[in-house]
């Protein structure tokens, strides 16, 4: 039963985040919406920041679990953008709040997971050095994270989708080339 109550608290907070900024949501609002008392809230969450952190981590974990294969850079960027778009207003309210760091950390985790999954599919057991693998993944993860964070800081305008697609077109083949260069330089130092 506690997991049902915990889930209800998280869903109530998400509902309220879609309506108003984080700094205007109080424990009182959540317990009234859920029909529980304050003690029940504090049984499950230490405070509002702990609740926000768990919601963000939970959403990121769902996306990571859903994508065990990624077949293109476009797919990587779409997954990261969908993380933000899934609950657009709530995401913007958290992004524009003191809890932004929590959102950014989860976004970085999602970007890292999807890029790592994609790059590993390109490597396909070839003997690329762990250092080069790490560098390639970090480069793409940081670029995609920065692209999504920049888009969010500009209000998640819809026309960015075309820019995302164009970025992927411009980068087509670059990851494969990086992997080839790594393989060609094995043994050089």
């Amino acid at each position: 039963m506690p997991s049902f109550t915990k889930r209800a608290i998280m869903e109530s907070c998400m509902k309220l985040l879609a309506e108003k900024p984080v700094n205007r949501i109080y424990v009182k609002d959540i317990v009234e919406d859920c029909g529980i008392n304050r003690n029940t809230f504090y049984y499950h969450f230490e405070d509002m920041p702990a609740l926000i952190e768990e919601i963000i981590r939970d959403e990121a974990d769902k996306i990571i679990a859903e994508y065990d294969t990624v077949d293109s850079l476009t797919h990587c960027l779409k997954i990261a953008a969908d993380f933000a778009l899934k609950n657009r207003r709530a995401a913007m309210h958290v992004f524009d709040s003191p809890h932004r760091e929590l959102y950014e950390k989860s976004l970085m985790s999602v970007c890292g997971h999807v890029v790592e999954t994609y790059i590993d599919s390109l490597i396909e057991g070839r003997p690329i050095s762990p250092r080069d693998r790490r560098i390639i993944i970090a480069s793409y993860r940081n670029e995609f994270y920065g692209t999504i964070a920049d888009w969010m800081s500009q209000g998640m305008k819809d026309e960015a989708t075309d820019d995302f697609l164009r970025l992927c077109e411009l980068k087509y083949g670059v990851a494969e080339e990086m992997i080839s260069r790594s393989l060609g330089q094995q043994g050089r130092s």
Side-chain angles (χ1 to χ4, degrees):
M1 190 78 161
S3 64
F4 174 78
T5 303
K6 187 174 186 177
R7 173 68 36 209
I9 293 168
M10 292 169 70
E11 288 172 3
S12 175
C13 185
M14 284 298 292
K15 179 178 123 186
L16 292 168
L17 277 169
E19 298 169 6
K20 54 189 173 180
V22 174
N23 63 349
R24 292 187 44 224
I25 300 173
Y26 303 98
V27 171
K28 175 181 155 275
D29 301 324
I30 293 170
V31 299
E32 285 176 5
D33 187 67
C34 287
I36 60 171
N37 63 44
R38 292 177 70 84
N39 289 339
T40 302
F41 175 91
Y42 288 111
Y43 173 80
H44 294 285
F45 299 100
E46 182 179 329
D47 52 19
M48 283 296 294
L51 170 58
I52 299 292
E53 182 174 5
E54 181 137 353
I55 289 169
I56 294 168
R57 191 176 340 113
D58 187 58
E59 291 299 314
D61 289 348
K62 284 179 195 173
I63 288 173
I64 289 169
E66 184 178 342
Y67 294 99
D68 58 349
T69 61
V70 180
D71 59 6
S72 69
L73 288 178
T74 306
H75 195 197
C76 289
L77 202 48
K78 182 182 179 330
I79 293 166
D82 285 350
F83 175 69
L85 283 172
K86 184 176 179 199
N87 295 291
R88 186 181 195 141
R89 287 185 53 121
M92 285 306 299
H93 283 144
V94 173
F95 192 76
D96 291 334
S97 79
H99 306 289
R100 179 181 191 154
E101 182 181 324
L102 301 172
Y103 186 84
E104 290 174 335
K105 185 177 173 183
S106 292
L107 177 60
M108 182 66 86
S109 178
V110 168
C111 289
H113 170 75
V114 296
V115 166
E116 183 174 4
T117 301
Y118 173 64
I119 296 298
D120 284 346
S121 76
L122 294 178
I123 293 171
E124 296 180 29
R126 294 186 277 176
I128 186 172
S129 76
R131 178 178 179 232
D132 286 354
R133 177 186 174 275
R134 179 181 48 79
I135 290 168
I136 293 167
I137 289 169
S139 172
Y140 276 93
R141 178 200 64 217
N142 295 342
E143 182 173 11
F144 285 174
Y145 166 81
T147 299
I148 299 295
D150 185 52
W151 169 62
M152 291 187 72
S153 70
Q154 295 175 27
M156 297 172 77
K157 293 178 176 70
D158 292 331
E159 64 269 9
T161 305
D162 291 336
D163 290 347
F164 293 163
L165 294 175
R166 182 63 180 146
L167 172 64
C168 292
E169 289 171 359
L170 293 169
K171 292 194 69 78
Y172 182 78
V174 173
E176 292 86 343
E177 180 63 26
M178 293 170 80
I179 292 166
S180 292
R181 286 182 184 175
S182 175
L183 292 169
Q185 294 178 358
Q186 294 296 327
R188 291 187 197 173
S189 290

